Amino acid sequence: MNQSSIRLWKQQKFVSVFNRRVTTHTLKRREITTDVRKIQYPFPNSVTDVIDMRSEELYKKNHIPGAINIPLVSIVLGKKHNTKWKKSDYFAKKDMVKKCTNLSLSEYFIRKKSPNFHPLVYCEAGGLVSNMAVHIATEAGLDALYVLEKGYLLYMKQVVEDLNRLPLQFTFKVISGFTGTGKTFLLNKLSEDGHQVLHLECLAKHKGSMLGLWYGETQPHKDHWLALLRNALASFDPSKPVWVESESQRIGALYIPPVLFKQMCKGDRFKIVLPTEERIKCSLRDYPYWLEDKETLIHIVRKLEIYRGKEKVNNWITLIKSERWEEFVHLLLVEHYDPTYKISQQKNKRTSNEVEVFMENQSDEVVKSTLDFLTRSQAYLQTT
């Protein structure tokens, strides 16, 4: 038998071992075998842990929300990426099966093993790597193991399909208004009071403007962003309205899916009107980190030259350097944010149902009165 034949024989033997749920050897020496359940998304409530077995790099880019990463691919096969695998990629030494029982995945299974422990594992395409996990679970003595059928690729396909379907079930109520009117603040109060709120800026880690990226944060990968949106919508009751902030379709580097954006644009709108002096106070409250990191703020503000001209931007930077914060915020609002917001709303406003909600300030009494009006607003909209 030549070397090529020996290599092919080893490959076929390796694949056959991991293409079976439990090896014949394991069946002979175990009275109880692992109950392997291949499922699709969404997961049953009995799933206790979700384990992403892809590489650490892929996990950091995007993963199923709530999943932990045990990169079985990298540990066993020495691969950095788990994309399209060929059978030849799985060539291994004859003791590979034994090595698999000593991996961190096995340690995790053994440490958490109990009658109520029902983990779910997934890889990129649900193939041989998932079958490795089945073998490891059996060696660890697990009672049950969920395997995501066809892996992460099918999961993302389901997420996209859900985002074309779920938004159509909901009636959205949209809070609009110039920058600094406390739209996010009001949404948080609505959420605290038990109302359904879709926090787009929170999920995107971005407020939608040039200065909008959350300080010290990075935006999620596109796939992870879609998954977060899908999960949020799936948690809502279609019989109740969903509150959301008026947004452009683009939030930083991310985009609101077309069906969701179109449905939001149909929603009744409430334009918050707040005096400029109060808007300045709110802006300083919402962006405290820029006051502490002037160099980064100046670097970002310089990018606005293309929109507002060098003269205005230099004036703003002078105010920043001299820490004249109220003057800086006032000019930034009236010279940049307000004109930009007007153009955006002209493009994104698709309904005539809009009510202006005037607030003198954001004291507890005024906020409570505003929330009462918003949540009892349907009668007002029907008469406008």
Side-chain angles (χ1 to χ4, degrees), residues 15-16 42 49 54 96 126 137 140 148 170 174 208 211 213 222 228 230 238 247 273 292 312 327 342 350-351 366:
V15 171
S16 66
D49 301 59
R54 302 173 305 154
M96 178 61 73
L148 184 59
F170 299 105
V174 183
L211 297 172
L213 180 65
K222 179 188 70 174
L228 293 171
R230 185 265 166 209
E247 300 283 358
V273 181
E292 302 169 4
K312 284 185 179 179
E327 292 178 65
K342 288 177 181 178
R350 308 285 179 86
T351 177
V366 172

Side-chain angles (χ1 to χ4, degrees), residues 2-46:
N2 57 35
Q3 290 295 322
S4 178
S5 298
I6 293 173
R7 181 182 176 86
L8 179 61
W9 174 79
K10 286 183 177 180
Q11 292 174 358
Q12 291 173 342
K13 182 179 179 181
F14 177 77
V15 171
S16 66
V17 168
F18 286 105
N19 270 335
R20 294 195 300 272
R21 290 182 177 176
V22 186
T23 63
T24 303
H25 175 70
T26 303
L27 284 170
K28 286 181 179 179
R29 63 188 180 88
R30 286 191 184 278
E31 295 181 0
I32 301 176
T33 61
T34 301
D35 178 13
V36 179
R37 309 169 191 177
K38 289 195 173 183
I39 61 172
Q40 295 183 2
Y41 193 77
F43 309 140
N45 293 331
S46 52

Side-chain angles (χ1 to χ4, degrees), residues 184 198-220 225 228 245-256 286-287 289-290 300 303 337:
T184 301
L198 180 59
H199 288 284
L200 293 172
E201 293 183 354
C202 180
L203 297 179
K205 303 296 183 185
H206 203 287
K207 295 179 181 291
S209 64
M210 184 70 76
L211 297 172
L213 180 65
W214 284 23
Y215 191 75
E217 297 277 2
T218 57
Q219 289 197 268
W225 156 250
L228 293 171
E245 183 173 338
S246 177
E247 300 283 358
S248 298
Q249 190 164 9
R250 178 178 173 180
I251 305 179
L254 300 173
Y255 288 85
I256 300 173
D286 293 342
Y287 296 86
Y289 35 83
W290 296 128
I300 295 174
K303 297 179 181 179
Y337 277 114

Side-chain angles (χ1 to χ4, degrees), residues 133-194:
V134 171
H135 175 80
I136 294 170
T138 302
E139 287 292 311
L142 256 61
D143 295 327
L145 178 72
Y146 290 102
V147 177
L148 184 59
E149 188 175 359
K150 297 185 179 178
Y152 185 81
L153 296 178
L154 185 62
Y155 159 77
M156 277 310 305
K157 182 179 179 181
Q158 184 61 52
V159 166
V160 173
E161 290 177 0
D162 287 350
L163 286 174
N164 287 329
R165 172 184 58 84
L166 286 173
L168 301 176
Q169 301 177 8
F170 299 105
T171 298
F172 290 91
K173 292 192 174 185
V174 183
I175 294 183
S176 65
F178 288 130
T179 299
T181 51
K183 302 183 291 294
T184 301
F185 176 75
L186 292 174
L187 286 175
N188 288 335
K189 290 294 183 180
L190 285 166
S191 182
E192 291 172 8
D193 289 345

Side-chain angles (χ1 to χ4, degrees), residues 70-88:
I70 301 179
L72 185 60
V73 172
S74 303
I75 297 172
V76 177
L77 303 173
K79 297 288 184 179
K80 292 185 178 180
H81 301 285
N82 179 21
T83 52
K84 295 181 180 178
W85 295 97
K86 300 176 182 178
K87 287 186 178 180
S88 59

